[in-house]
């Protein structure tokens, strides 16, 4: 009886991994459509003085799938010892390439994930200051939420520049396909 319970628990956790993979791929496909539209001649543009420049926002979005791998292959990230360096990009194609590489690595790591991986701790810090203390599962969910959040910001940038917006979770005013 106890072995049966253990097997059911393992199966349930593998279902969670399958669901995460499905969501991860859907977010990747939607994000790819948005990044492909980013005009290089507007990389230095922002809708407001407090807003990120379009290039930095787009690079951040392309980098976010990397957090899946970070969550599953490390115990955390310390910005004091590992400062962020924005990758060099010159075009929307460069953004899509970064996104595709990060997605592929994250997908491979998530496909190998186990129950133990999802339950492990992951700490984001700036030296001694703890910025986030999550389970690895929570870190994965956070990265997916961040992708959605920042992609929506990018959608506003594109709209303000009169660039047609692709649908995300259904049709948009510019893209009626579903």
């Amino acid at each position: 009886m106890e072995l049966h319970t253990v097997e059911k628990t393992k199966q349930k956790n593998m279902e969670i991994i399958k669901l995460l993979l499905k969501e991860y791929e859907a977010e990747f496909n939607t994000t790819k459509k948005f990044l492909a539209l980013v005009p290089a001649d507007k990389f230095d543009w922002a809708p407001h003085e407090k807003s990120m420049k379009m290039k930095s926002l787009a690079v951040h979005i392309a980098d976010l799938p990397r957090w899946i791998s970070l969550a599953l292959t490390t115990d955390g990230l310390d910005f004091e010892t590992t400062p962020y360096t924005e990758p060099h990009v010159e075009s929307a194609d460069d953004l899509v390439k970064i996104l595709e590489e990060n997605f592929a690595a994250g997908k491979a790591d998530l496909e190998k994930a186990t129950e133990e991986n999802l339950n492990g701790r992951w700490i984001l810090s700036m030296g001694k200051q703890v910025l986030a203390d999550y389970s690895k599962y929570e870190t994965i969910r956070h990265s997916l939420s961040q992708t959605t959040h920042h992609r929506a910001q990018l959608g506003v940038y594109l709209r303000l520049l009169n660039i047609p917006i692709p649908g995300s979770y259904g049709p948009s005013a510019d893209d009626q396909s579903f």
Side-chain angles (χ1 to χ4, degrees):
M1 180 73 159
E2 191 175 302
L3 181 59
H4 181 68
T5 303
V6 169
E7 286 304 313
K8 282 181 104 173
T9 301
K10 284 182 181 178
Q11 184 179 33
K12 183 178 178 183
N13 282 321
M14 293 313 292
E15 289 174 14
I16 291 170
I17 291 170
K18 286 179 186 176
L19 291 171
L20 285 170
L21 281 163
K22 183 178 178 182
E23 181 180 5
Y24 184 48
E25 186 164 355
E27 292 300 324
F28 162 75
N29 289 327
T30 300
T31 301
K32 187 175 177 179
K33 292 189 292 187
F34 276 73
L35 290 178
L37 298 173
V38 175
D41 66 331
K42 297 294 184 186
F43 274 177
D44 288 329
W45 184 84
H48 188 274
E49 64 189 36
K50 293 182 180 180
S51 299
M52 272 197 265
K53 300 289 186 191
M54 183 177 286
K55 178 182 172 187
S56 292
L57 176 61
V59 168
H60 180 55
I61 294 166
D63 270 345
L64 280 166
R66 184 170 65 96
W67 286 71
I68 304 293
S69 289
L70 281 172
L72 294 169
T73 63
T74 70
D75 293 325
L77 176 62
D78 182 350
F79 285 127
E80 191 172 278
T81 59
T82 311
Y84 177 74
T85 303
E86 187 174 283
H88 177 76
V89 298
E90 294 182 7
S91 67
D93 288 342
D94 292 343
L95 292 167
V96 169
K97 182 179 179 188
I98 292 167
L99 177 74
E100 289 172 340
E101 289 170 357
N102 288 326
F103 170 77
K107 182 179 180 195
D109 288 328
L110 191 52
E111 287 173 337
K112 293 184 285 189
T114 66
E115 174 184 355
E116 293 79 25
N117 294 131
L118 294 179
N119 292 328
R121 300 306 303 162
W122 197 86
I123 310 291
L124 179 65
S125 63
M126 177 68 81
K128 293 183 186 217
Q129 180 187 6
V130 173
L131 304 172
D133 181 351
Y134 295 142
S135 69
K136 292 182 181 239
Y137 170 80
E138 289 170 318
T139 304
I140 292 166
R141 286 293 321 129
H142 185 78
S143 72
L144 291 169
S145 295
Q146 285 290 297
T147 298
T148 304
H149 165 75
H150 289 300
R151 189 179 63 231
Q153 284 182 296
L154 180 60
V156 171
Y157 284 38
L158 296 173
R159 171 65 71 220
L160 291 172
L161 293 171
N162 292 315
I163 297 171
I165 308 298
S168 291
Y169 303 108
S172 75
D174 302 307
D175 177 8
Q176 292 296 306
S177 62
F178 188 64

